[in-house]
Every structure is written in structure tokens, then in C-alpha cells.
Amino acid sequence: MKLDYSTIAAKWKEIWAETHLYKVHENPDLPKFYVLDMFPYPSGAGLHVGHPLGYVASDIYARHKRMSGFNVLHPMGYDAFGLPAEQYALDTGVHPAKSTSDNITRYRAQLDNIGFSFDWSRQVRTDDPAYYRWTQWIFLNLYQHYYDITKDKALPISGLIAHFGEYGSLQMNAACADHPPFSTEEWKVMSAAQKENILMNYRLAYRKKGYVNWCEALGTVLANDEVKDGVSERGGHPVIQKEMMQWALRVTAYAERLLNGMDVIDWSESLKAIQRNWIGRSEGAFIEFQLEQNNGQTIKVFTTRPDTIFGSTFLVLAKDHALVNEIISPAQKATVEAYIDRSKSKVSDVKAAGEKNLDGAWTGAYAIHPITKNKIQIWIADYVLSDYGTGAIMAVPCGDERDHAFAKQHQLEIVEVIDRSAFENASIEDKQGTLMNSDFLNGLSVEKAIQAILKFLVEQQLGTKQIAYKLRDANFSRQRYWGEPFPVYYDAEGLVHEMDTSSLPHELPDLDDFKPSPDGRSPLARLDAWARPSADRSLETDTMPGYAGSSWYFLRYMDPNNPNEFVSKKAVDYWQDVDLYVGGVEHAVGHLMYSRFWHKFLYDLGYVPTQEPFKKLVNQGMIQGVVESLILLKERHEGNAHFISADLIKTKGLTSEDFSAIPVHIDFVSAYGQPNSHLTGDGIQSFIQWRSEYGNALFEGADGKMYTTGDSNGAIIETLSEVGKMSKRYHNVVNPDDVIDKYGADCFRMYEMFLGPIEQSKPWDTMGIEGISKFLRKFWSLYFNEEGDWIVTNDVPQESSYKALHATIKKTNEDIERFSFNTAISQFMICVNELRKTGEQSSKILEPLVQIVAPFAPFITEEIWQQFGHKESVHKSTFPAHDEKWLVNTSKTYPVCINGKKRSEITLAIDIPEEEIKSSAMALPEIQKWLEGQVIKKTIVIPGKMVNIVV
RNA sequence: GCGGGUGUGGUGAAAUUGGUAGACACGCUAGACUUAGGAUCUAGUGCUGCAAGGCUUGGGGGUUCGAGUCCCUCCACCCGCACCA
């Protein structure tokens, strides 16, 4: 049999599908293992070589676990709802439902091509009503629960209502937005609408009016993590702050648990750091400042440095702080309004520039310093954010850089309260130094002063100890068509009513015109018959954001077709949680945060047995593309464009002033990504056809070879050569199907793994793939000769072959376990080279070798395995165990006594019988004497101290 | 600015607990077979030196018999957050 990978792959793909090889069931007799990939959203572009990197790694891991006696759940599905799918549909004019399904078909074919061991019977897609009815169901649960801080869990809202009926809002320790306190009596006389408004402050899914990230171009509101540098992450459109009525999720209620949970999960430090940073916990205090008018109103500020309170010379409020309008003095009204106008017109991209914004205005009002009783001015400024802390600060110009800059800018008083003379290098914000000008705090260290002032503030009822988080509640409304409809409706008064869970799914209606409306309403709002089923009932026309469906999909895989529950108790008790999750780091604060939040919520409700959904998480790197460009001279040649081969830049002594680089589609480039990447005559023809404006261009290069700038070694070219994302824009997308056509799926898989450590990003470089291809041919040639005859015998193997095999078994086991696939592949190469060198043909060696390689190269190993006469798939076989007897170390370390004194270690070859070495009693001269007659490769003797001998 | 990470040949990278640094592969050089080679095989390939040898894991310092690995310090690069009080 000749090596014909495409025939082999086609054959086994079919057989695996027919026999449902990778189908799994709960099996209490076997330990479970759940290997999960982040499911893709099926965009129109299809998969490129970067996508499968993580999938291949997890597939190898899953296959290995399966062969090691675990019952492995390894599913795949599609994140079909959300902006990307809809945006694609908008671009192409095809209905999202159709384009999504078409794309899924294409993705599926591409995935199958790579030989993954997914159990496709468990596929989920988030746009399937049978799936999203449970997304809606979880939403309703969030709506029906609040977070009890004392019990530290979510509880039904009915308990809260009961509490209000009995105690009013007093003693209610729950996560909520600020609202005026009320008594039992007040609660009892409230109207339904008033009660509902109160409850909205507690519900975990709630409606609120507030500033949101509004993206005009996309016609929708975006979550904080969907906004990067003031523009939308998708499309790069400007985002402004707009006030709208929106659904939101009270993720802040879980901030502390989301933070603490990270201590018990096996994620990379950097990822945990990103999440910690996003949650942004800081300890400090709320301090109340009376207004000068003394009308009972106070301004509550948040500070992490209460010790500097004596240095506080003014207060600053956010521009949309609740009290702003009340306190502005008539004299300052015009100034303040002018400032607010200025500030509102500013788009958020001022932030991106990284400038400090010191704009602000004095309200004309004063507050009373709670301790010194001094009158201090109240200002409004951009640098105070309304949604962090209390939206108000006590400015301490001597202890905070921004306050300091602001004070200078507006000529406000600066009082030094920290003596830092003992700490030369301390910056203004360091917690070092001794208090001064601070009454009873004078002379205390910063640490001690914080404790002392906190005690004082609490005793005097001027403030409380508080923890603030940067984490914001998650906006949950999208003015879009392609998403889950909210299972709620509003009555004539605008009150929210839940749909009955038995009526779910609340299906997304069909629509012809799904373009966003410029007025900020969802396209569904135009569907009057649907949106207003009766005079006193209107439906929510916004839809849920992309992360809704992806926040719990890993649970659905456990029991994907259950019509009665989102997941059965039996299934979730067996599968528990995800043991290994592989995916991109780009989901660090979006998907991974929301999933953990939903999971903890479902845990509180008793639906899932674990607090954390993903025990171990591995972030695969990105496969980057090289941008190949042709050099276009600025100076034209007889009126036509003039390209030169990149190697001529140096020859001609050109500088970057003289030319520009024009990106070339990589399909035209020979030796893509290599130092000698170039266009041949055909390539030039294709280029001209592609970019017709260069039809008459002159192409100047030796032998008609036009070198491109893909070279990363060349001096001047280096600055032109770019490595970055693979994207359509740069025409550098490598399609896995093309690679597989040329080299086969096994080679593709192994090469992706061989590129380097899985977490690292690296450019796709076609050069190295030949090495893997060569290896696979060598591997094949252990089993078949050139004529294609089976050459495996039943002879007794050579000893060296056992050694090579068992070393490889051991290393492969260890390497896969620690996610080091490149080193495992290196070991295969060593083993295969060794077996070829000695001409090993024994099945005793070659049969287990197939099993070791099988997780990496599933197709050709399956083919070879059958040749041994096995009826069952190699992927159902048991991974061979290594035998220690063949793995005697080449050297062993023994403790010895050097010169009768110091205990140290000595490295000796194993050929020296162990009993010859009298443990710790052997002195240096004895060893040297014993070694006489041995072949000594290397000896390092440090007299009186240490011997290192290699025999 | 804050937080996290990374620095090893011409390249991608190994070195799991401190123990012969550079495995494995790419590339390159020479040779063999060839009409030819972008096929295959063989040998060589960290730097330096004719050699013996010397030097070598971003720089400097330290601990240790022994450091790529541990500690201190400086430098460079990458990623995340960024007016968070």
C-alpha cells in the first residue's frame, strides 16, 4: 500500500461517521474527562490556519485521555447569534438564518477535514430555538433573583418582597443600586409600579436608564469589553455615551466571588491578572461631606487614602452626579453649563490619546470638611467618573497626581500632609512617609494613619469602610435582530412582565429587513404585529448580546437534546465541569467572565455542582500571517508604474523615501513567508489581473524573478516585512484545506503543533512543514516498502528498539499531559530515526508505535493499525504503558562523602553496578581507583570538593 | 503610570527537580545518485582558533562544588488595563 493520505483520510472519515466512533455516553464505570474548545462563530470567511491551532491541541489531548481510560466528552458547536453573524448577513444581503446555516455547513466540512474527534451528536447552536429557550429561561431566573450579601448567594426575589413587607428596606444586606430607604408602612402603600421600581434595584437582570456605549455606525449599544480605545472592537467605529433604557446584569454582585474563585482554578497568571484587573478591587472608605447649605444632604465620596483627609482642599463630582443640578449657584450656572456642553460633545476617543483631561468647573457651592469644618469648594470635572465609587471624590492635591494637576490648573489650595523626606524616590502616590499637618494623625506612618482615621470616621459616623470595584454591571440589550428575544413584555404602564417559562422559547420572528434603525431601535420594533400583540401589551424589541448564548453552552453539551431541562441532574452530576478549556485570550474579560458569573448563579440555584465552570484553561497563541509586498518606485517609468525586485533596494541604494510597498495576494507568491519569497512570471500575470491599474507596469528583477518583502532576515526589507493577524485585508489568509490538499490532514495537525509552544503566537511559515511531511513518510516506510508491501515481521526486536520505543511512550505521555506537543513530536522523530537506522521490522515495536502517534496523526495511524489485523479502531485502543526496565537512566546520582566531610552528589554512569557504590561512605580516591579501566568520557574534579564523572 | 509575561545559534525552538546548553526541525555548506533537482541519501553546521584550547543562554552582580534554571539590579521587547480616586 502506497501512502496516499487523501484516499486514506476520505475512507476513515466515512467509516468513523458511520460507526459513530466518537460518540460518548455517561458511563459511571469510567472516570469522566471534559475537553472543551471555544466554539466558533461561523463567519463567512471560513476557517483559516490560525483557528484550528487550539482545536488540534485539544483533540490530541482528548484522544490521548480517551486511550488512557477516560470517558471523554469532547463536543463542538456554533456561536451562531450575535453581531458578527448579523454583520456578515448585512454585508452580503442574505438573511442571517440562511447565511449562518450555510457558514456552519462550510465550517463543518473544514473541521471534518482536519480529523477531529468531536461527538457531533452533541452539537449545539445558540440560534436554535430549542437551545435559546434555555438561554431565555436562565435570563428569567436572573430576573427573579437578587443577591443576598449576608448569605453570599442569589435568592428568589419573593424573599426580598417578604422582607420589605416585614422590615422595610432596613437591615437588607443585598446587592443593589442606591435608593432612598423606606419603612414597612411605606412599602405597603406603594403602587405596583413603585414597588417594581424598587425591586429593579435588586434583580440580577434589571432595567435601568443610564449612559451606554452607543455605536452609531453599528446602530447598537456595546458592552464595555466590546469597546477598545473609544471605538467598536468590531469595525472600529466611533462609540459615544448615550442615555437609554437598557437591560443589564448585576455581575457586580458576584465581584468578590469571581475574584476569589480564581485562587482555585488552573489558568495562566496573565489571564487571571487580566480578570483581576478588570474586576479592579480596591479597599477604602466612603466619607460623607455636609453641604454648606446644611439641608441634610451629604456628598459621599470614595477614597482609598482616608489618611490624607486633612489634605483634602476641594471636592469633585462627576458631571452626571445626582446632586450637581441642586447645588449649582446662580452665579456659576453659565460656567458649569458651558463646561458640561463642552464635555458632552467630546467623544470617548479623547481617552485613547492618553491625555490627562483637566477640564472642569466650580459649581459655586461649598461643602464642610467633616473634621476641620472648613468650607471647601465643590467642583465638577471629567476626570471623576460617575460609575465608579460614589461618583464623587475628595481631592487631595498633595497625594494624588490628578488632583495635583487639577489644583494647579485651577489654582486651588494644596496642603502637604505626608512627609516623604525619608523616602527619596517615593512618588506622590506611594504609601510611604509620615503624616503631617493632620491633627491627631501627625507622626503616624501611612499604614497606621489609615487604620486610625478609619476607626475615627466609623466612631463619629462620618464614614464607613468600603470596597470599590472597577467592574461594572453588564449591559444586556442590543438593538439588533439576530439575537435571543427577551422573554418579557410590558403592560400599558410600561411595567415588566415575565413570560411563562412553559411558553418558551419565545421565538425570534422572521424578518425581511433586519437592518438596524438609525433611531436606535431594534429592527424588531418595525414588526408591529409581533411587537404589539394587543393594546395593553408590547414586547421587548431589543435582543440579547452575543455572550448570552455562549455563557452556558458548555453545560448544554452534557445533555444537548433535553426538552425538559437545560441540563439534567444526572448528566451534570456525571460530567460536573470542564476539565480542560482551550481557546483564545481575547475572551478574557468577556465570555470567560460572564460564563463564570452565570455558572456561579446556577450553582446558587442548585443546578450545577461546581462553583467554577473551567478547571484548567489554556490559551493558544495566534497563527500570524506574513504580509508580502512588492516594491513600487515613486518615480514612474515612462509614465507607468515601476516595480523592482526587493533585492534591488540595496543594490540601488534606495531608501524608504523612494518607494512604497504594495501588498500582494499570497496565492501569487512562491515561497510564501520564506526569505526568498518572490513572484514568478505567472505570479506577475496573476498580480496584473488582480490589480488591473498596474497593467502596464514595468517589473524589474533578475530572470523575471520579483522578490517580495516577506523576508524577515534582510536588513532594509526587515522594516517593510510585517507579521500580524491573518486577514482578508492583507490578502495573507492561509486556508487549512489547501494545506491539507497538499500535505494531508495528519501533516497539517502535526505541523501546527510542531511550530512551537501552544500558548505562543507565531507566523505561519510553510518551510518547516516539509520536515513533518518527511517524518510521516519515514514513519510510513517503517511499515511499507517502496513497492507498498507490508514489511512488518514477528521477529524478536533489538534491544535498542525497545529502549527507543519505551522512552517515546514515556515522553509522549508526559508531554501531552503538560501540553508540550512540539517536544512529543521531536521524540517521535528521534524514535523513527533510530528504528530506521537499525532496520527494525518487528511488530512488537511497530505496533505500539502506531498507538503513540495516533492522537497526532489519526488517519494514517488508523490505516496502519488495520493492517495489523485489528477490527477495532486504534482510537479505541489503550495507550501503551512504558516499561521501566527499558528506561534505565544513562546516569544516576548518588550521595557521596567527599574527603570525609561534605555531603554532595556525584554523577556516575549506570554501568557501574549499584552495589559497588557504598552509598555515602565512598571517598574520592576510592572512586577514582574504581574508575580505572572504565572508559571515561569526561571527568571534572574539583579537589577537595566535587567530582563529576561521565562514563 | 499600573498589572502580567518574554529575552538561548542564521530561524522555530529543547533542556520536567539547579547537573555535558543548543535535543528535534528548518535553513545553510560539502558530497553521492542524477540530463536536471524545489526528489532522495550521506557528512558537517553556536562563536573563535591550524590545533590543543578558549568563549557562549539580554547586561552587571550574588548564592552554589555546579546556574539558561534560584536571588538582586539594570536594559530591551511583547501583551492587558488605563482619568478607577
Side-chain angles (χ1 to χ4, degrees), chain A residues 39 78-82 124-129 131-132 135 484 546 548-550 553:
Chain A
F39 63 169
Y78 304 97
D79 187 13
F81 266 145
V124 303
R125 44 185 286 189
T126 54
D127 65 341
D128 181 352
Y131 176 86
Y132 69 68
T135 310
E484 300 87 347
S550 60
Y553 75 107

Side-chain angles (χ1 to χ4, degrees), chain A residues 811-812 815-816 820-829 856:
Chain A
K811 183 140 177 64
T812 305
D815 285 350
I816 293 177
S820 177
F821 301 111
N822 53 335
T823 52
I825 294 171
S826 294
Q827 183 64 37
F828 294 160
M829 292 175 171
F856 293 79

Side-chain angles (χ1 to χ4, degrees), chain A residues 83-84 213 218 220-228 231-234 239 278 475 477-478 545-547 589-590 594:
Chain A
L83 271 178
N213 302 306
L218 293 174
T220 190
V221 165
L222 300 171
N224 287 337
D225 55 277
E226 292 171 320
V227 182
K228 292 260 146 70
V231 296
S232 66
E233 192 180 28
R234 194 170 171 77
V239 173
W278 191 258
N475 187 291
S477 292
R478 295 293 179 273
Y547 65 81
V589 290
Y594 299 126

Side-chain angles (χ1 to χ4, degrees), chain A residues 303-314:
Chain A
T303 178
T304 56
R305 293 294 302 273
D307 56 309
T308 62
I309 190 164
F310 289 96
S312 171
T313 48
F314 57 101

Side-chain angles (χ1 to χ4, degrees), chain A residues 899-911:
Chain A
N899 283 355
K901 276 186 187 171
K902 190 163 186 174
R903 265 181 78 101
S904 189
E905 290 184 334
I906 180 167
T907 307
L908 295 170
I910 192 56
D911 298 304

Side-chain angles (χ1 to χ4, degrees), chain A residues 699-878:
Chain A
F699 292 87
E700 183 186 350
D703 314 324
K705 252 193 185 178
M706 297 294 293
Y707 285 95
T708 52
T709 55
D711 181 4
S712 50
N713 304 321
I716 185 168
I717 302 173
E718 195 174 346
T719 57
L720 296 172
S721 162
E722 278 184 76
V723 175
K725 243 185 174 157
M726 277 196 184
S727 86
K728 266 184 167 172
R729 199 168 132 212
Y730 298 118
H731 317 291
N732 63 352
V733 177
V734 179
N735 184 335
D737 294 338
D738 296 341
V739 181
I740 289 167
D741 277 352
K742 200 166 170 198
Y743 297 99
D746 297 314
C747 184
F748 173 76
R749 291 166 60 102
M750 289 186 93
Y751 181 55
E752 288 227 332
M753 293 301 101
F754 192 64
L755 276 172
I758 198 80
E759 302 89 350
Q760 231 158 78
S761 289
K762 50 239 154 184
W764 178 261
D765 144 35
T766 45
M767 268 200 281
I769 200 166
E770 295 290 346
I772 297 292
S773 187
K774 217 184 284 178
F775 160 76
L776 286 171
R777 288 197 298 270
K778 285 181 186 171
F779 174 68
W780 183 262
S781 73
L782 289 171
Y783 301 87
F784 299 94
N785 66 14
E786 281 190 40
E787 282 70 44
D789 304 319
W790 181 248
I791 55 171
V792 178
T793 68
N794 289 319
D795 298 348
V796 177
Q798 301 160 62
E799 203 167 291
S800 66
S801 304
Y802 275 119
K803 285 188 172 176
L805 176 73
H806 286 272
T808 306
I809 294 172
K810 183 162 194 268
K811 183 140 177 64
T812 305
N813 262 318
E814 290 168 355
D815 285 350
I816 293 177
E817 210 46 61
R818 66 189 178 105
F819 250 70
S820 177
F821 301 111
N822 53 335
T823 52
I825 294 171
S826 294
Q827 183 64 37
F828 294 160
M829 292 175 171
I830 294 168
C831 183
V832 167
N833 284 340
E834 171 70 19
L835 297 181
R836 271 166 58 87
K837 208 159 76 189
T838 58
E840 185 58 68
Q841 294 191 313
S842 169
S843 61
K844 294 258 180 345
I845 301 296
L846 296 179
E847 197 173 335
L849 183 63
V850 181
Q851 294 171 287
I852 308 169
V853 180
F856 293 79
F859 289 114
I860 75 166
T861 50
E862 185 80 304
E863 183 66 33
I864 296 170
W865 185 250
Q866 302 305 310
Q867 293 289 324
F868 280 100
H870 295 287
K871 291 273 182 315
E872 198 162 58
S873 164
V874 65
H875 305 296
K876 287 265 176 186
S877 70
T878 303

Side-chain angles (χ1 to χ4, degrees), chain A residues 78-256:
Chain A
Y78 304 97
D79 187 13
F81 266 145
L83 271 178
E86 179 164 344
Q87 202 62 39
Y88 173 75
L90 282 172
D91 293 345
T92 56
V94 184
H95 193 283
K98 182 174 181 347
S99 66
T100 302
S101 286
D102 289 351
N103 292 342
I104 284 176
T105 309
R106 182 148 160 234
Y107 268 62
R108 175 64 193 275
Q110 282 187 303
L111 291 169
D112 282 348
N113 222 356
I114 304 169
F116 292 125
S117 61
F118 297 126
D119 176 0
W120 284 106
S121 72
R122 290 174 181 264
Q123 170 186 311
V124 303
R125 44 185 286 189
T126 54
D127 65 341
D128 181 352
Y131 176 86
Y132 69 68
R133 69 171 288 191
W134 298 110
T135 310
Q136 292 169 331
W137 177 83
I138 294 172
F139 169 82
L140 284 182
N141 271 291
L142 285 161
Y143 178 75
Q144 290 155 351
H145 287 79
Y146 74 102
Y147 197 84
D148 187 305
I149 296 170
T150 312
K151 298 215 174 71
D152 218 8
K153 65 186 289 195
L155 291 173
I157 207 90
S158 56
L160 190 65
I161 294 170
H163 179 99
F164 289 160
E166 208 166 332
Y167 309 104
S169 68
L170 298 169
Q171 300 158 22
M172 193 63 238
N173 193 16
C176 69
D178 229 6
H179 66 79
F182 54 84
S183 64
T184 317
E185 289 68 35
E186 285 169 312
W187 172 257
K188 282 179 176 156
V189 298
M190 280 184 201
S191 68
Q194 283 171 319
K195 283 182 176 170
E196 193 42 58
N197 279 337
I198 294 287
L199 293 176
M200 273 297 179
N201 290 309
Y202 293 86
R203 296 180 187 276
L204 290 174
Y206 65 99
R207 288 221 312 163
K208 72 162 177 186
K209 205 168 183 185
Y211 283 93
V212 293
N213 302 306
W214 170 254
C215 179
E216 191 69 50
L218 293 174
T220 190
V221 165
L222 300 171
N224 287 337
D225 55 277
E226 292 171 320
V227 182
K228 292 260 146 70
D229 298 333
V231 296
S232 66
E233 192 180 28
R234 194 170 171 77
H237 306 292
V239 173
I240 59 162
Q241 299 295 300
K242 187 173 174 173
E243 198 171 44
M244 291 177 82
M245 188 59 116
Q246 301 280 307
W247 282 97
L249 300 186
R250 204 176 303 282
V251 57
T252 49
Y254 283 83
E256 198 66 26

Side-chain angles (χ1 to χ4, degrees), chain A residues 528-721:
Chain A
D528 231 29
W530 180 84
R532 294 194 124 302
S534 64
D536 58 352
R537 180 181 281 218
S538 60
L539 299 187
E540 172 63 69
T541 57
D542 287 352
T543 55
M544 298 185 195
Y547 65 81
S550 60
S551 290
W552 71 281
Y553 75 107
F554 48 92
L555 294 168
R556 188 63 178 173
Y557 282 137
M558 296 174 181
D559 192 12
N561 302 310
N562 190 335
N564 304 315
E565 296 162 285
F566 78 102
V567 59
S568 72
K569 184 104 182 90
K570 177 169 165 272
V572 77
D573 280 347
Y574 180 74
W575 295 112
Q576 297 270 316
D577 51 11
V578 176
D579 295 281
L580 173 71
Y581 196 18
V582 180
V585 71
E586 65 272 20
H587 297 107
V589 290
H591 164 62
L592 288 174
M593 190 73 85
Y594 299 126
S595 298
R596 294 182 60 220
F597 160 44
W598 284 40
H599 197 81
K600 285 177 187 302
F601 172 69
L602 291 170
Y603 171 84
D604 286 352
L605 270 54
Y607 290 116
V608 298
T610 58
Q611 286 250 25
E612 286 289 336
F614 315 121
K615 273 210 275 266
K616 181 181 169 73
L617 185 129
V618 172
N619 289 125
Q620 90 275 15
M622 222 180 18
I623 299 226
Q624 298 155 316
V626 176
V627 182
E628 298 279 2
S629 305
L630 275 176
I631 302 297
L632 174 65
L633 291 183
K634 294 244 163 89
E635 195 173 320
R636 293 171 78 85
H637 179 261
E638 292 170 6
N640 291 323
H642 183 182
F643 290 96
I644 59 159
S645 181
D647 57 324
L648 295 177
I649 295 175
K650 262 191 213 164
T651 325
K652 297 191 173 220
L654 301 174
T655 69
S656 54
E657 306 283 295
D658 304 320
F659 56 82
S660 52
I662 307 293
V664 186
H665 200 294
I666 56 155
D667 286 355
F668 313 150
V669 181
S670 303
Y672 164 68
Q674 300 176 25
N676 60 338
S677 57
H678 62 275
L679 264 67
T680 58
D682 287 348
I684 293 170
Q685 285 310 311
S686 309
F687 176 73
I688 292 170
Q689 271 180 15
W690 180 55
R691 302 289 296 269
S692 51
E693 68 267 37
Y694 296 122
N696 296 320
L698 172 70
F699 292 87
E700 183 186 350
D703 314 324
K705 252 193 185 178
M706 297 294 293
Y707 285 95
T708 52
T709 55
D711 181 4
S712 50
N713 304 321
I716 185 168
I717 302 173
E718 195 174 346
T719 57
L720 296 172
S721 162

